[in-house]
Amino acid sequence: MSTKVQRTTRYLLLDQLKLAGWSFFVLIWLFAVLPLLVDLLTGNLSHYSFFQDLASMNLGALFFLLIFIFGVLTYDNFKLFIQNGISRRTYFSARLLSLILMSALCVIIGGIHFFAFHAPYMHWSTQQALLKTGTSLYAYAFGSNVTLNVALNLIFNWIFYIGTGLTGMACGTLLALFGKWAKTILIIGAPILGVIAIWLLTVVIVRNQSSFSYTGLEAFLKFLVGYPSHGPADAGYFNPIMPLITMLVGCGVIGTLAYLFNRKLRIRN
């Protein structure tokens, strides 16, 4: 790794940590300090529990938004680095490294909060807590080995955050290629076109459901989520290998698009 990549990564990571710190401060205020003030004003201080408020915070949603926003914020840093002799390739490499490091930090903090604070407060065992996560289908992938099951959950989350950041990078870099009016049209028009496309697809499926066979599609989707080929399809016993591969391939595709868009970036007058 070159010195320029290290310095650029350090700059981006510190900038992201500052924004994350302020966001976490606001979250603490909303979930802990604000309820305390309300209880003080209403005379219900006996009902206040800092541990309860801390345990109820949804750090996963906060980290998801932060990682995506970090990816979207593209042009200002690009302009700063290009004007200071940093190439597009160095800038992209630094963004990718900062995304990987920031995602890992979010996964660690989120895992500690969920398994060390939220789960005990809800009186869940670690294995029970795994069944409450987004990866509940794979909670027993390593049988009764709780450590490996937790590690698998964290790996899933890490890849998901990386994919989220890469998606943000691709969207932010694509928008940076356009002027103000074109960017506004894209931001407003893309969701509308997406809704229309989903509506049209739904209409086509509903009208042709009697003549269309979903057997092949169903088998493909089951394959992607790791549907058990033998035994009951109970939550916790799905195969995590194919979903992991699918997520990695998706990250590769989105990352390639972000890189191609990054090569087209120009400083606007």
Side-chain angles (χ1 to χ4, degrees):
M1 184 189 304
S2 67
T3 303
K4 285 187 176 181
V5 173
Q6 290 180 353
R7 290 179 177 177
T8 307
T9 303
R10 182 175 180 274
Y11 178 91
L12 291 174
L13 195 57
L14 289 176
D15 191 49
Q16 292 172 4
L17 286 172
K18 291 177 183 178
L19 180 56
W22 280 109
S23 301
F24 192 73
F25 173 78
V26 171
L27 196 68
I28 290 289
W29 174 267
L30 291 176
F31 279 85
V33 179
L34 189 60
L36 174 60
L37 295 177
V38 172
D39 288 339
L40 283 172
L41 293 174
T42 58
N44 295 320
L45 190 59
S46 59
H47 297 146
Y48 176 77
S49 172
F50 177 76
F51 183 82
Q52 176 183 352
D53 293 334
L54 183 65
S56 64
M57 289 192 303
N58 191 348
L59 293 184
L62 172 65
F63 292 151
F64 171 81
L65 289 174
L66 285 177
I67 292 295
F68 184 78
I69 291 172
F70 292 155
V72 170
L73 299 177
T74 297
Y75 181 75
D76 289 341
N77 283 328
F78 167 75
K79 182 177 180 180
L80 173 66
F81 290 130
I82 288 296
Q83 291 177 337
N84 285 275
I86 301 298
S87 67
R88 291 170 178 77
R89 184 173 181 179
T90 298
Y91 175 52
F92 183 82
S93 299
R95 295 193 74 192
L96 188 58
L97 284 173
S98 64
L99 168 61
I100 292 173
L101 294 174
M102 193 67 190
S103 298
L105 181 61
C106 289
V107 166
I108 293 172
I109 295 175
I112 292 174
H113 174 264
F114 184 77
F115 292 108
F117 289 93
H118 187 72
Y121 175 76
M122 299 298 295
H123 305 291
W124 296 336
S125 66
T126 303
Q127 195 64 57
Q128 288 175 326
L130 284 168
L131 289 171
K132 308 293 183 180
T133 65
T135 59
S136 59
L137 292 177
Y138 318 102
Y140 294 103
F142 293 97
S144 59
N145 193 321
V146 177
T147 302
L148 291 180
N149 289 331
V150 170
L152 179 64
N153 172 266
L154 298 180
I155 291 172
F156 261 106
N157 290 338
W158 191 20
I159 298 175
F160 176 74
Y161 282 145
I162 291 174
T164 298
L166 289 173
T167 303
M169 287 171 60
C171 294
T173 309
L174 177 62
L175 290 174
L177 298 177
F178 297 93
K180 180 179 178 180
W181 289 108
K183 188 184 302 183
T184 302
I185 293 173
L186 282 174
I187 293 174
I188 297 175
I192 296 175
L193 291 176
V195 171
I196 293 175
I198 293 174
W199 175 74
L200 290 174
L201 181 62
T202 303
V203 171
V204 171
I205 292 175
V206 170
R207 290 183 177 179
N208 297 277
Q209 59 182 350
S210 59
S211 59
F212 185 79
S213 175
Y214 294 93
T215 304
L217 177 61
E218 180 184 354
F220 178 68
L221 293 177
K222 286 182 176 180
F223 173 72
L224 288 182
V225 300
Y227 194 88
S229 56
H230 303 286
D234 295 331
Y237 295 96
F238 281 50
N239 189 339
I241 295 178
M242 196 58 213
L244 285 172
I245 293 175
T246 302
M247 291 175 68
L248 289 172
V249 171
C251 287
V253 172
I254 297 298
T256 300
L257 289 176
Y259 176 73
L260 293 176
F261 295 153
N262 181 79
R263 293 181 60 183
K264 301 295 184 180
L265 280 175
R266 297 290 186 274
I267 294 179
R268 298 190 296 270
N269 295 327

